[in-house]
Structure formats: C-alpha cells, structure tokens
Amino acid sequence: MLKEAQLVPYVDSLIPKENNILVLAPHPDDEVFGCGGAIALHLQSGCHVKVILVTSGELGGDGPVRIAESQNASVLLGSYALECWHYPDREVHLSNQFVDKIIQTIIQNSISLVYAPSLWENHPDHRAVALSAVEAVRQIKSCALMQYEVSAPLRPNRLIDITSVVENKLAAMQCFSSQL
C-alpha cells in the first residue's frame, strides 16, 4: 500500500542513481525547460545522458536553429548526446511504431531511467510522447520513468533539489532566443 509521503513529496529527494539516462523531448527546449536541472545533476554524477528531440519544433520557429539552440544548451548543462528524430511538429501520435522506436532506443543504450513530459501537458506532441514513454517503460519493465513539466503543472510525487545547478539551467535556458 502506498503511503501519503510516496504520493506527496514533503521533502526533496536525491537524484536517482542510474547510469544511463534517456530524456525524451517533444521539441528543442523542452529538455532544458522541463528537466534541465536533473540533466545537469546526472551529468555531474558521471551518468551518460542521451536526449532525443522528437521533432525539430519547426512550427514554433526554424527547426535547424532550434536544434542548434539545444546543442548550445547541452554544453552549459555538461554536454550530453543529442539526437533529433524529425517527426513532424504537432503530428506526434501514440502508435506501436513510435513506442517500438523508444523501446529500441532504451535497449540499444542500456537505459535505466527515462524522463518524459508529464501526462498533464496540454500540447498534443507532449501528451503523445508522455503516453508513448509510459507504454514503452511498461513493456520493458527494466527501467524507471520520471515525468517532467514544461507548460502545465504536474502533481509531483518526487522533488529534486537543483540548487547546485540552477545557474547552469538558467544559462542553458537563455540559449533559446528563438523561443524567449
């Protein structure tokens, strides 16, 4: 049985001790605005972090510019592997093919923790990535899932103190001049 403290975080938690982290970001900037502090903490602790930009965010600006902004932000957070799948912006959907692609990425990279947007997000790409990540992790069972908020508050069950890297996150956020 779950205890109240497992559902409502009364104190902050340490960053999960995982070695291979996958961050699924629907658009360039979601990874930084959403879980950039956690990414920086993982990198500081020696973890390998891979960020997948599902789209280039071309409906919210120039796609190549937005990807370059994500690459610049990566350096400020500690440098991680960055890849873009180039799905069309606003056309990401929950499908067996998309879930399978996430599963293959998890397996090929020995991922033990996946970060994905919250199910509470309103943007259709964010929701599709969230639902697909939930399904991929459910099928694999060998890795954990943590969700992050970008534009809609989530109901947290874990808080991670990013005080030691907040300046890195703020600097990385400034890389997205096309979005600010």
Side-chain angles (χ1 to χ4, degrees), residues 37-47 49 76-78 164-166 168:
I39 291 171
L41 289 172
H42 282 297
L43 291 168
Q44 279 186 357
S45 70
C47 297
V49 176
L76 295 173
L77 293 178
S164 66
V165 295
V166 73
N168 304 66

Side-chain angles (χ1 to χ4, degrees), residues 10 26 34 39 50 62 66 85 97 100 135 145 153 157 177:
Y10 293 110
I39 291 171
K50 180 177 187 73
D62 185 274
R66 294 191 68 186
W85 286 349
Q97 179 186 11
D100 288 345
E135 181 57 20
L145 173 68
N157 64 349
S177 58

Side-chain angles (χ1 to χ4, degrees), residues 36-37 51 53 66 83 98 116 119 125 143 146-147 177:
V51 172
L53 306 174
R66 294 191 68 186
E83 179 181 333
F98 187 53
L119 293 167
D125 290 345
C143 68
M146 292 184 71
Q147 295 183 311
S177 58

Side-chain angles (χ1 to χ4, degrees), residues 81-130:
L82 183 69
E83 179 181 333
C84 185
W85 286 349
H86 295 282
Y87 277 72
D89 197 356
R90 283 201 171 261
E91 292 185 31
V92 180
H93 303 287
L94 172 63
S95 68
N96 289 336
Q97 179 186 11
F98 187 53
V99 170
D100 288 345
K101 187 165 184 153
I102 295 170
I103 289 170
Q104 289 309 309
T105 300
I106 291 170
I107 292 168
Q108 289 170 357
N109 294 278
S110 302
I111 299 298
S112 53
L113 176 62
V114 174
Y115 282 90
S118 163
L119 293 167
W120 292 100
E121 290 287 323
N122 296 316
H123 191 291
D125 290 345
H126 290 220
R127 289 191 47 76
V129 172

